[in-house]
């Protein structure tokens, strides 16, 4: 059985892995990966709007991996509309990249559970095989954290190099053309960053668990009987 010191740290490692699992689920479910400001270029050109007047033609947009919301401002007041990524909008995007992001996050969910299981195994017993010990915990956390980081990087690439926001803003728009004025990452994105950070923290936790503690030895004084004592 592992000592109490290692049990505490392996327990913390299992909690971090489970928290990463929960964070990814929250990030997938919330439609707040990115928000932005979109300019109704067609409406602004029709009235030849100047800089102070452009505010009337700037709407809002936010979206996640499955759904989102858009507020159009084309000079006639704001019009809000909800949209879903699947099954139609994804065809207008880089479908392969978007599906890859989802697959990576689902894989990260499984890896987070595996790393948690390895941590729990090390709480219960000292594994016979080294691959099931602290080295195995580190391996699965590196894989899980790397997969989440890859998903984050893929999403950033979709935003920056594939004009993700602009394509979503102009989906099913026949009369108006929208231009992205401002973009910023929202809580779901940063939740995924926190998930990857949890796995990185797990590496530190496992390393600390391997620090040897000084042994506390209690000296028992034993009565020594010598031949001289027997004579007396």
């Amino acid at each position: 059985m592992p000592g109490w010191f290692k049990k505490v740290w392996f327990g913390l490692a299992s909690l971090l892995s489970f928290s990463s699992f929960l964070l990814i689920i929250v990030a997938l479910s919330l439609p707040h990966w990115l928000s932005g400001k979109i300019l109704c270029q067609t409406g602004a050109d029709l009235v030849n709007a100047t800089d102070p007047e452009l505010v009337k033609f700037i709407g809002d947009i936010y979206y996640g991996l499955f759904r989102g919301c858009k507020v159009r401002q084309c000079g006639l007041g704001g019009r809000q509309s909800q949209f879903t990524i699947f099954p139609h909008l994804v065809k207008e995007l880089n479908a392969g990249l978007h599906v890859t992001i989802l697959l990576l996050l689902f894989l990260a969910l499984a890896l987070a559970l595996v790393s948690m299981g390895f941590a729990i195994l090390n709480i219960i017993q000292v594994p016979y095989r080294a691959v099931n010990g602290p080295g195995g915990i580190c391996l699965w956390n590196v894989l899980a954290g790397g997969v989440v980081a890859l998903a984050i990087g893929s999403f950033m690439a979709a935003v920056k190099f594939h004009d993700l926001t602009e394509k979503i803003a102009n989906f099913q728009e026949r009369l108006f053309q929208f231009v992205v004025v401002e973009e910023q990452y929202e809580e779901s994105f940063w939740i995924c960053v926190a998930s990857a950070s949890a796995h990185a923290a797990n590496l530190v936790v496992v390393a600390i668990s391997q620090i040897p503690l000084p042994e506390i030895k209690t000296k028992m004084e034993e009565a020594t009987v010598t031949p001289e004592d027997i004579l007396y």
Side-chain angles (χ1 to χ4, degrees):
M1 292 289 291
W4 65 268
F5 180 77
K6 290 187 175 182
K7 283 184 177 182
V8 169
W9 289 105
F10 288 145
L12 178 58
S14 65
L15 287 176
L16 285 172
S17 295
F18 186 65
S19 67
S20 174
F21 174 82
L22 294 178
L23 287 172
I24 296 174
I25 291 178
V26 172
L28 284 168
S29 60
L30 292 179
H32 294 285
W33 277 69
L34 189 137
S35 66
K37 301 288 185 181
I38 50 175
L39 170 66
C40 182
Q41 189 67 57
T42 305
D45 291 342
L46 283 175
V47 299
N48 197 20
T50 58
D51 287 343
E53 297 171 334
L54 287 178
V55 179
K56 299 178 181 179
F57 296 92
I58 296 179
D60 300 295
I61 188 173
Y62 66 84
Y63 58 89
L65 299 179
F66 294 100
R67 65 187 191 278
C69 179
K70 176 175 67 176
V71 179
R72 300 167 50 187
Q73 293 281 2
C74 294
L76 301 175
R79 294 181 59 188
Q80 180 175 318
S81 61
Q82 306 281 339
F83 58 85
T84 57
I85 303 296
F86 295 94
H88 303 297
L89 177 53
V90 71
K91 298 176 183 178
E92 303 295 326
L93 312 177
N94 189 325
L97 183 58
H98 194 82
V99 172
T100 299
I101 295 170
L102 290 174
L103 291 177
L104 287 172
L105 290 176
F106 285 129
L107 177 60
L109 286 173
L111 293 174
L113 289 179
V114 172
S115 65
M116 182 184 70
F118 270 65
I120 294 175
L121 175 64
N122 281 263
I123 295 174
I124 299 173
Q125 63 181 15
V126 177
Y128 177 72
R129 295 182 180 179
V131 71
N132 296 333
I137 300 175
C138 290
L139 173 62
W140 290 109
N141 276 281
V142 168
L143 291 175
V147 168
V148 176
L150 189 57
I152 293 171
S154 299
F155 181 77
M156 295 176 68
V159 172
K160 296 298 181 183
F161 302 116
H162 296 276
D163 302 321
L164 182 62
T165 306
E166 187 168 328
K167 290 178 180 178
I168 292 176
N170 288 288
F171 178 63
Q172 293 184 337
E173 292 289 347
R174 298 179 180 178
L175 297 178
F176 299 101
Q177 180 71 26
F178 291 91
V179 178
V180 178
V181 178
E182 177 186 320
E183 290 176 313
Q184 63 180 6
Y185 297 107
E186 292 295 336
E187 55 263 31
S188 293
F189 176 86
W190 297 114
I191 286 172
C192 268
V193 174
S195 172
S197 301
H199 289 292
N202 251 347
L203 299 179
V204 178
V205 168
V206 174
I208 294 175
S209 71
Q210 299 307 297
I211 298 176
L213 288 180
E215 295 183 1
I216 302 175
K217 296 182 179 180
T218 58
K219 294 183 178 180
M220 300 293 294
E221 294 186 358
E222 298 181 356
T224 57
V225 180
T226 62
E228 288 79 5
D229 295 327
I230 297 175
L231 292 176
Y232 295 97

